[in-house]
Amino acid sequence: TIVLGCSAKPYNPLRQVLNAIGRGDEVEWLRYDGWGMVEHPCRADRELRWRVELGPNVFEEGPLATFGGAEAQKEFKELQEITRELVSGAVAIPAMAMRAGPTALIPLLRYFNELVELIKLGPDLTTGTFAPYMDGPRYVVKNQWLRDWLDALAFSLSGLPATRTSAAAMAYVLYDMHRQDAALDYPRGGLGAVIDELVKGVEQGDNGSKVNLRKHVQSIDTTEDGTRFVGLTLESGKKVRAKDGVICNAPVWSIANLIANPDAKKALNNMAMPQMDENRQSWVVDDSNRSTIRSV
């Protein structure tokens, strides 16, 4: 598990949430400075093992030089420089300052100068994918080993290749992994320890909030005409009634199985609910021998 920005500033959104609910110091973060890579495991003729280490110039002078050569080193340095503009906003403006609604700008006023610089980049660069930095026009990565490495990093972030991963996220990782005092974080006790603290944060106080874990949801219930979501039915048969509505963060391809009412499905996604048996995505290798996501 790769976690950045929990043990030291600049804090990531997870640590910002833990701080906001008063649980930021309750998780003990174990810092580590790298991880091992295994290519073609259990293939005696091809298996390759090497280590990724964090910090300035360690990766560049190690695996990048060994496997990618001078061309990869040059392109990596240029890529870091050209994506630095995307990083400044991510580092300077905390995620907790990002709000929706008519008052969204108020918490951002504290970061006015950084916000102006970020806006100058335009929406295609601040909210778009990393494709313009891989295939142009912002930059073109030609070295195949470096392209493969960027895809591997992107997959750990999004499960997608670099060209379909957020440009801001990729830029931040390229910055954070190679800065002074860079470190990855892992919570003592595993990620369950983080869940425990988030639960305590929700349940604290006297408003009666409650978190139910390990309660399988059988269905999301609606009114008969499908115009309103009214609660949940658990696998045990127990029904949970909602006062205002249901917030669901299940993957979009799972929602079709959770909602039985066809009218609700149509209204929910403008009649565009995903089909479970079509257009499934997998990693494949195309004719140019580059791993990509393709519908199969």
Side-chain angles (χ1 to χ4, degrees):
T1 300
I2 298 175
V3 184
L4 297 165
C6 281
S7 63
K9 294 180 178 179
Y11 290 138
N12 69 11
L14 172 60
R15 178 59 190 265
Q16 291 174 37
V17 169
L18 287 167
N19 288 347
I21 61 175
R23 313 301 301 180
D25 294 327
E26 302 304 317
V27 179
E28 181 183 356
W29 296 100
L30 307 176
R31 292 167 64 85
Y32 56 107
D33 61 0
W35 70 90
M37 294 288 295
V38 182
E39 299 183 41
H40 309 292
C42 303
R43 295 281 298 275
D45 57 331
R46 299 183 65 191
E47 183 173 295
L48 184 64
R49 297 181 178 225
W50 50 281
R51 179 172 168 78
V52 182
E53 293 188 52
L54 278 62
N57 301 317
V58 183
F59 173 75
E60 296 92 313
E61 296 173 4
L64 188 61
T66 301
F67 302 119
E71 178 191 47
Q73 289 178 299
K74 176 178 177 292
E75 290 185 357
F76 187 76
K77 192 174 189 65
E78 291 173 348
L79 191 61
Q80 282 185 307
E81 284 299 318
I82 202 168
T83 57
R84 196 176 301 278
E85 58 189 6
L86 290 173
V87 176
S88 58
V91 172
I93 304 176
M96 289 292 284
M98 306 293 186
R99 307 287 173 83
T103 61
L105 279 177
I106 294 177
L108 290 174
L109 293 178
R110 294 176 57 191
Y111 312 96
F112 183 78
N113 293 334
E114 293 84 355
L115 182 63
V116 169
E117 293 301 314
L118 204 58
I119 290 174
K120 288 180 182 178
L121 300 178
D124 290 341
L125 297 183
T126 55
T127 61
T129 70
F130 201 59
Y133 296 91
M134 293 284 285
D135 301 323
R138 299 289 295 174
Y139 192 76
V140 177
V141 179
K142 299 177 182 178
N143 183 271
Q144 188 58 53
W145 193 89
L146 179 55
R147 291 186 69 95
D148 291 342
W149 172 246
L150 293 170
D151 276 341
L153 279 181
F155 186 77
S156 71
L157 292 170
S158 65
L160 296 170
T163 54
R164 296 178 60 189
T165 299
S166 161
M170 287 293 295
Y172 184 81
V173 169
L174 291 176
Y175 153 78
D176 200 58
M177 285 177 53
H178 306 286
R179 63 180 173 83
Q180 191 67 41
D181 300 321
L184 301 173
D185 305 313
Y186 192 76
R188 184 179 293 278
L191 288 172
V194 177
I195 301 300
D196 291 342
E197 296 306 325
L198 290 172
V199 169
K200 291 174 183 176
V202 171
E203 294 185 341
Q204 66 188 348
D206 56 5
N207 61 3
S209 295
K210 177 69 176 172
V211 176
N212 293 284
L213 301 176
R214 301 180 182 87
K215 304 294 184 183
H216 184 81
V217 175
Q218 188 68 34
S219 66
I220 301 176
D221 303 330
T222 71
T223 55
E224 188 173 343
D225 60 4
T227 59
R228 185 168 182 269
F229 293 94
V230 296
L232 308 172
T233 298
L234 304 183
E235 190 176 45
S236 64
K238 179 181 177 180
K239 291 188 177 294
V240 180
R241 299 294 87 189
K243 292 182 178 179
D244 297 311
V246 177
I247 299 173
C248 176
N249 73 336
V252 66
W253 49 84
S254 300
I255 294 177
N257 289 335
L258 289 172
I259 302 172
N261 190 313
D263 293 328
K265 289 183 182 181
K266 292 178 182 179
L268 181 66
N269 230 11
N270 195 25
M271 303 182 71
M273 291 298 292
Q275 299 297 314
M276 294 298 292
D277 57 347
E278 297 179 7
N279 300 322
R280 309 191 88 175
Q281 291 183 324
S282 296
W283 278 89
V284 298
V285 177
D286 62 22
D287 294 337
S288 63
N289 199 34
R290 280 160 57 181
S291 297
T292 57
I293 285 283
R294 184 185 297 165
S295 295
V296 295

